[in-house]
Amino acid sequence: MPPPNLPPLPPPPPFFWGETPEEEYYKSQGVRNSKSYFQTPNGKIFTQSWLPLAEDQPVKASVFMTHGYGSDSSWCFQKICIAYAKWGYAVFAADLLGHGRSEGLHGYIGDMDKAAATSLSYFVSVRRSDQYCNLPAFLLGESMGGAITMLMYFQSDPGTWSGLIFTSPLFVIPEAMIPSKLHLTMYGLLFGLADTWAAMPDSRMVAKAIKDVEKLKIIAVNPKRYAGKPRVGTMREVVRVTNYLQNNFQKVTVPFFAAHGTADGLACHTGSEMLYEKAATPKEDKTLKLYEGMYHSLIQGEPDDAVDRVLADMKAWIDEKAKIFGSESNGN
């Protein structure tokens, strides 16, 4: 029993940065934010944008970002969104089906192709709009969002995307995280009835992702984070899709940047290495950055100096590519 008369734990702050109102915080970061819902054939999804604060500032390119498993676009994932907007990019993100404020059973993605198509429908609507159709456009995915981003790329018409950006993409599952075939087979014999069950073993995913303990405390209190055991259908799809992607990396032809920590306990860095080796993208347009000793969450969970290294590498890459593609778009 806990000792008597202990004061209650304080509630989590309203935002990952603390109590500062959103508009005031975004302004201090040099960006502006907007929120909306987007209706798709598969349900309504929650979307956000982050743009440079000055409305007359030219935008270099658009970047469409997808968060990882159990996460959403409204907590610490914003760090990467805000960074790109500060660099002069128009950033758009959507909560995946079953995540954050989007519709669907929390933590459940029983069809990853459908989840990809759902977010993609929003991204393409923005990408083809009058405001952005002539700018370079990039897809960015983190963790499981990296796998879903790759599915989006495969689902897109040729020429839609100027390039791909991956941070700790889930292309290869670590041995300790692979779901038991026995479990998946047994649940599969229940004719789909068990697909939504939160019944798969939980290997303490958050603790394996975050190196900085203080940042771990903030991420852990995200009110919209899915913190239950992995659902059967979600893990079945992760296994299926990672196998599919490994066998189709050769279909990637656009420039890409992949960042991965060598101590990642949730997504093997060998997946990023496999993409680099197999992709048909010309060698000069492939970039793989392996960060020695870094964990899974490169932007939200590493010490600040390590985060700055990763962001600097990302900025250098996209600034170069946006300049090249922007010149081509202008006929120069």
Side-chain angles (χ1 to χ4, degrees):
M1 294 289 293
N5 304 320
L6 275 180
L9 290 172
F15 311 108
F16 80 86
W17 58 78
E19 304 281 342
T20 305
E22 279 187 298
E23 188 173 349
E24 185 180 332
Y25 175 77
Y26 291 131
K27 189 173 182 181
S28 75
Q29 297 299 302
V31 305
R32 50 197 162 99
N33 169 267
S34 67
K35 300 173 174 62
S36 63
Y37 283 90
F38 185 81
Q39 185 65 54
T40 81
N42 302 318
K44 191 182 293 183
I45 57 174
F46 177 73
T47 72
Q48 294 196 75
S49 71
W50 297 260
L51 302 171
L53 186 60
E55 295 190 27
D56 59 351
Q57 178 180 337
V59 170
K60 300 175 185 177
S62 55
V63 187
F64 299 86
M65 300 191 177
T66 301
H67 62 79
Y69 168 77
S71 183
D72 69 299
S73 65
S74 296
W75 203 248
C76 290
F77 184 72
Q78 289 191 79
K79 290 182 178 181
I80 193 167
C81 306
I82 291 168
Y84 275 73
K86 287 170 72 171
W87 302 338
Y89 295 91
V91 177
F92 302 89
D95 288 356
L96 290 167
L97 285 176
H99 289 70
R101 285 180 259 189
S102 290
E103 291 185 346
L105 179 63
H106 204 193
Y108 177 64
I109 299 183
D111 184 340
M112 213 171 273
D113 293 301
K114 184 172 84 171
T118 303
S119 292
L120 181 62
S121 65
Y122 165 64
F123 291 166
V124 168
S125 74
V126 177
R127 198 267 180 274
R128 290 181 176 162
S129 66
D130 290 344
Q131 192 171 1
Y132 297 107
C133 63
N134 293 320
L135 287 176
F138 299 84
L139 289 174
L140 182 152
E142 178 180 74
S143 189
M144 185 185 76
I148 291 175
T149 291
M150 189 65 86
L151 291 177
M152 289 188 214
Y153 169 69
F154 289 150
Q155 292 175 7
S156 299
D157 294 334
T160 303
W161 307 111
S162 309
L164 306 172
I165 304 164
F166 300 104
T167 169
S168 309
L170 180 55
F171 295 150
V172 173
I173 310 170
E175 196 68 35
M177 300 288 295
I178 297 175
S180 156
K181 287 183 180 178
L182 176 62
H183 277 136
L184 290 176
T185 302
M186 285 173 56
Y187 290 132
L189 292 174
L190 295 175
F191 303 102
L193 295 174
D195 213 52
T196 61
W197 290 2
M200 301 304 290
D202 183 359
S203 300
R204 295 189 57 77
M205 292 185 181
V206 173
K208 288 187 173 187
I210 314 298
K211 182 180 285 186
D212 187 300
V213 175
E214 293 306 310
K215 293 179 179 180
L216 173 59
K217 292 176 184 176
I218 296 296
I219 289 173
V221 297
N222 177 358
K224 295 180 179 63
R225 181 174 72 89
Y226 176 69
K229 287 186 176 182
R231 297 189 186 276
V232 173
T234 305
M235 294 310 293
R236 168 183 48 75
E237 278 295 275
V238 167
V239 172
R240 180 186 70 83
V241 168
T242 51
N243 286 331
Y244 169 77
L245 295 179
Q246 291 167 30
N247 291 319
N248 286 276
F249 282 147
Q250 71 277 5
K251 295 179 182 176
V252 177
T253 60
V254 296
F256 66 83
F257 175 98
H260 223 125
T262 61
D264 189 332
L266 295 185
C268 290
H269 62 82
T270 55
S272 290
E273 293 173 291
M274 193 183 300
L275 169 64
Y276 183 83
E277 292 299 323
K278 289 187 173 184
T281 303
K283 191 163 186 179
E284 62 271 20
D285 287 330
K286 302 181 186 184
T287 299
L288 171 63
K289 293 285 186 180
L290 295 178
Y291 298 97
E292 190 64 36
M294 288 197 198
Y295 283 17
H296 183 64
S297 189
L298 297 176
I299 308 301
Q300 294 99 23
E302 290 287 323
D304 289 347
D305 59 338
V307 174
D308 290 344
R309 272 179 58 204
V310 178
L311 288 175
D313 288 340
M314 288 184 140
K315 183 178 187 301
W317 185 87
I318 196 170
D319 280 352
E320 179 193 355
K321 297 304 178 189
K323 189 174 182 181
I324 292 169
F325 283 106
S327 296
E328 290 174 358
S329 298
N330 294 326
N332 295 332

